[in-house]
CSV table of all heavy atoms in Angstrom, one decimal:
chain,number,residue,atom,x,y,z
A,6,SER,N,-50.0,19.1,61.6
A,6,SER,CA,-50.7,19.1,62.8
A,6,SER,C,-51.8,20.1,62.9
A,6,SER,O,-51.9,20.9,62.1
A,6,SER,CB,-49.7,19.4,64.1
A,6,SER,OG,-49.3,20.7,64.0
A,36,ARG,N,-53.2,14.3,62.4
A,36,ARG,CA,-54.2,14.6,61.3
A,36,ARG,C,-55.6,14.6,61.9
A,36,ARG,O,-56.0,13.8,62.7
A,36,ARG,CB,-54.2,13.4,60.2
A,36,ARG,CG,-54.9,13.6,59.0
A,36,ARG,CD,-54.7,12.6,57.9
A,36,ARG,NE,-55.4,12.8,56.7
A,36,ARG,CZ,-54.8,12.9,55.5
A,36,ARG,NH1,-53.5,12.7,55.5
A,36,ARG,NH2,-55.5,13.0,54.5
A,60,ALA,N,-49.0,14.5,40.4
A,60,ALA,CA,-47.9,14.3,39.5
A,60,ALA,C,-46.7,13.8,40.3
A,60,ALA,O,-45.9,12.9,39.8
A,60,ALA,CB,-47.5,15.7,38.8
A,66,SER,N,-38.9,6.9,41.4
A,66,SER,CA,-37.7,7.5,42.0
A,66,SER,C,-36.4,7.5,41.0
A,66,SER,O,-36.3,6.5,40.3
A,66,SER,CB,-37.4,6.5,43.2
A,66,SER,OG,-38.4,6.6,44.1
A,83,TYR,N,-40.5,24.3,58.9
A,83,TYR,CA,-41.3,24.0,60.0
A,83,TYR,C,-40.8,22.8,60.8
A,83,TYR,O,-40.8,21.7,60.2
A,83,TYR,CB,-42.7,23.8,59.6
A,83,TYR,CG,-43.6,23.5,60.8
A,83,TYR,CD1,-44.2,24.5,61.6
A,83,TYR,CD2,-44.1,22.2,61.0
A,83,TYR,CE1,-45.0,24.2,62.6
A,83,TYR,CE2,-44.9,22.0,62.1
A,83,TYR,CZ,-45.4,23.0,62.9
A,83,TYR,OH,-46.3,22.7,64.0
A,86,GLU,N,-40.7,19.4,66.5
A,86,GLU,CA,-40.1,19.0,67.8
A,86,GLU,C,-39.3,20.3,68.3
A,86,GLU,O,-39.4,20.7,69.5
A,86,GLU,CB,-39.0,18.0,67.4
A,86,GLU,CG,-38.3,17.6,68.8
A,86,GLU,CD,-37.4,16.3,68.6
A,86,GLU,OE1,-37.4,15.9,67.4
A,86,GLU,OE2,-36.6,16.1,69.4
A,97,SER,N,-46.7,41.0,73.7
A,97,SER,CA,-46.1,42.3,73.9
A,97,SER,C,-47.0,43.2,74.7
A,97,SER,O,-46.7,44.2,75.5
A,97,SER,CB,-45.7,43.1,72.7
A,97,SER,OG,-46.9,43.2,71.8
A,106,GLN,N,-62.0,38.8,84.0
A,106,GLN,CA,-63.2,39.1,83.2
A,106,GLN,C,-63.6,37.8,82.5
A,106,GLN,O,-64.8,37.5,82.5
A,106,GLN,CB,-62.7,40.1,82.2
A,106,GLN,CG,-62.5,41.5,82.6
A,106,GLN,CD,-62.0,42.4,81.6
A,106,GLN,OE1,-61.4,42.1,80.7
A,106,GLN,NE2,-62.1,43.8,81.9
A,120,PRO,N,-79.5,31.5,73.2
A,120,PRO,CA,-80.0,31.0,71.8
A,120,PRO,C,-78.9,30.3,71.1
A,120,PRO,O,-79.1,29.2,70.6
A,120,PRO,CB,-80.5,32.3,71.0
A,120,PRO,CG,-81.0,33.1,72.1
A,120,PRO,CD,-80.0,33.0,73.3
A,126,VAL,N,-75.0,27.3,64.8
A,126,VAL,CA,-74.6,26.4,63.7
A,126,VAL,C,-74.2,25.1,64.0
A,126,VAL,O,-74.5,24.1,63.3
A,126,VAL,CB,-73.4,27.2,62.9
A,126,VAL,CG1,-72.3,27.3,63.9
A,126,VAL,CG2,-73.1,26.4,61.6
A,142,GLN,N,-74.0,21.3,55.0
A,142,GLN,CA,-75.0,22.0,55.8
A,142,GLN,C,-74.6,22.9,56.8
A,142,GLN,O,-75.1,23.9,57.1
A,142,GLN,CB,-76.0,20.9,56.4
A,142,GLN,CG,-76.8,20.0,55.5
A,142,GLN,CD,-77.6,19.0,56.2
A,142,GLN,OE1,-77.6,18.8,57.4
A,142,GLN,NE2,-78.3,18.1,55.4
A,187,ILE,N,-85.9,30.2,52.7
A,187,ILE,CA,-85.0,30.7,53.7
A,187,ILE,C,-85.4,32.1,54.3
A,187,ILE,O,-84.9,32.6,55.3
A,187,ILE,CB,-83.6,31.1,53.0
A,187,ILE,CG1,-83.6,32.1,52.0
A,187,ILE,CG2,-83.0,29.7,52.4
A,187,ILE,CD1,-82.3,32.5,51.4
A,203,THR,N,-72.2,29.1,45.4
A,203,THR,CA,-71.3,28.4,46.0
A,203,THR,C,-71.5,26.8,45.9
A,203,THR,O,-70.6,26.0,45.8
A,203,THR,CB,-71.4,28.8,47.6
A,203,THR,OG1,-70.8,30.0,47.8
A,203,THR,CG2,-70.7,27.9,48.5
A,215,ILE,N,-66.9,20.6,51.0
A,215,ILE,CA,-66.5,21.9,51.3
A,215,ILE,C,-64.9,21.9,51.5
A,215,ILE,O,-64.4,20.9,51.9
A,215,ILE,CB,-67.2,22.6,52.6
A,215,ILE,CG1,-66.7,22.1,53.8
A,215,ILE,CG2,-68.8,22.4,52.5
A,215,ILE,CD1,-67.0,22.8,55.1
A,219,VAL,N,-59.1,28.0,55.2
A,219,VAL,CA,-59.7,29.2,55.3
A,219,VAL,C,-59.6,30.0,53.9
A,219,VAL,O,-60.6,30.7,53.5
A,219,VAL,CB,-59.1,30.1,56.4
A,219,VAL,CG1,-59.5,31.5,56.3
A,219,VAL,CG2,-59.4,29.5,57.8
A,236,ALA,N,-66.5,27.4,60.1
A,236,ALA,CA,-66.6,26.1,59.3
A,236,ALA,C,-65.4,25.2,59.6
A,236,ALA,O,-65.6,23.9,59.7
A,236,ALA,CB,-66.7,26.5,57.8
A,237,MET,N,-64.3,25.8,59.8
A,237,MET,CA,-63.1,25.0,60.0
A,237,MET,C,-63.2,24.3,61.4
A,237,MET,O,-62.9,23.1,61.6
A,237,MET,CB,-61.8,25.8,60.0
A,237,MET,CG,-61.4,26.3,58.6
A,237,MET,SD,-61.0,25.0,57.5
A,237,MET,CE,-59.5,24.3,58.3
A,256,ILE,N,-68.1,43.2,72.2
A,256,ILE,CA,-67.7,43.0,73.7
A,256,ILE,C,-66.2,43.2,73.9
A,256,ILE,O,-65.8,43.6,74.9
A,256,ILE,CB,-68.1,41.5,74.1
A,256,ILE,CG1,-69.7,41.5,74.1
A,256,ILE,CG2,-67.6,41.2,75.4
A,256,ILE,CD1,-70.3,40.1,74.1
A,258,ASN,N,-64.3,45.2,72.3
A,258,ASN,CA,-64.0,46.7,72.6
A,258,ASN,C,-64.5,47.2,73.8
A,258,ASN,O,-63.9,48.1,74.5
A,258,ASN,CB,-64.6,47.4,71.4
A,258,ASN,CG,-63.7,47.4,70.1
A,258,ASN,OD1,-62.8,48.2,70.0
A,258,ASN,ND2,-63.9,46.5,69.3
A,267,THR,N,-61.2,49.1,67.7
A,267,THR,CA,-61.1,48.6,66.3
A,267,THR,C,-62.5,48.9,65.7
A,267,THR,O,-63.5,49.0,66.3
A,267,THR,CB,-61.0,47.0,66.4
A,267,THR,OG1,-61.9,46.5,67.2
A,267,THR,CG2,-59.6,46.7,66.8
A,283,ARG,N,-53.8,30.7,72.4
A,283,ARG,CA,-54.3,30.0,71.3
A,283,ARG,C,-55.3,29.0,71.8
A,283,ARG,O,-56.3,28.6,71.1
A,283,ARG,CB,-53.3,29.3,70.4
A,283,ARG,CG,-53.8,28.7,69.2
A,283,ARG,CD,-52.8,28.1,68.2
A,283,ARG,NE,-53.3,27.6,67.0
A,283,ARG,CZ,-53.6,28.3,65.9
A,283,ARG,NH1,-53.2,29.5,65.9
A,283,ARG,NH2,-54.1,27.7,64.9
A,285,LEU,N,-57.5,29.2,73.8
A,285,LEU,CA,-58.8,29.8,74.1
A,285,LEU,C,-59.5,30.2,72.8
A,285,LEU,O,-60.7,30.6,72.9
A,285,LEU,CB,-58.6,31.1,75.0
A,285,LEU,CG,-58.1,30.8,76.4
A,285,LEU,CD1,-57.8,32.1,77.0
A,285,LEU,CD2,-58.9,29.8,77.2
A,295,GLY,N,-73.0,34.2,73.3
A,295,GLY,CA,-74.1,34.1,74.3
A,295,GLY,C,-74.2,35.1,75.3
A,295,GLY,O,-75.3,35.5,75.8
A,305,HIS,N,-78.6,49.2,75.6
A,305,HIS,CA,-78.8,49.0,77.0
A,305,HIS,C,-78.4,47.8,77.6
A,305,HIS,O,-79.1,46.9,78.0
A,305,HIS,CB,-80.5,49.1,77.1
A,305,HIS,CG,-81.0,50.3,76.6
A,305,HIS,ND1,-80.8,51.6,77.0
A,305,HIS,CD2,-82.1,50.6,75.6
A,305,HIS,CE1,-81.5,52.4,76.3
A,305,HIS,NE2,-82.4,51.8,75.5
Side-chain angles (χ1 to χ4, degrees):
S6 63
R36 192 174 181 125
S66 300
Y83 179 81
E86 183 176 355
S97 57
Q106 290 170 336
V126 63
Q142 291 181 2
I187 69 173
T203 288
I215 71 171
V219 171
M237 290 296 295
I256 294 167
N258 277 274
T267 53
R283 191 177 180 89
L285 299 176
H305 305 304

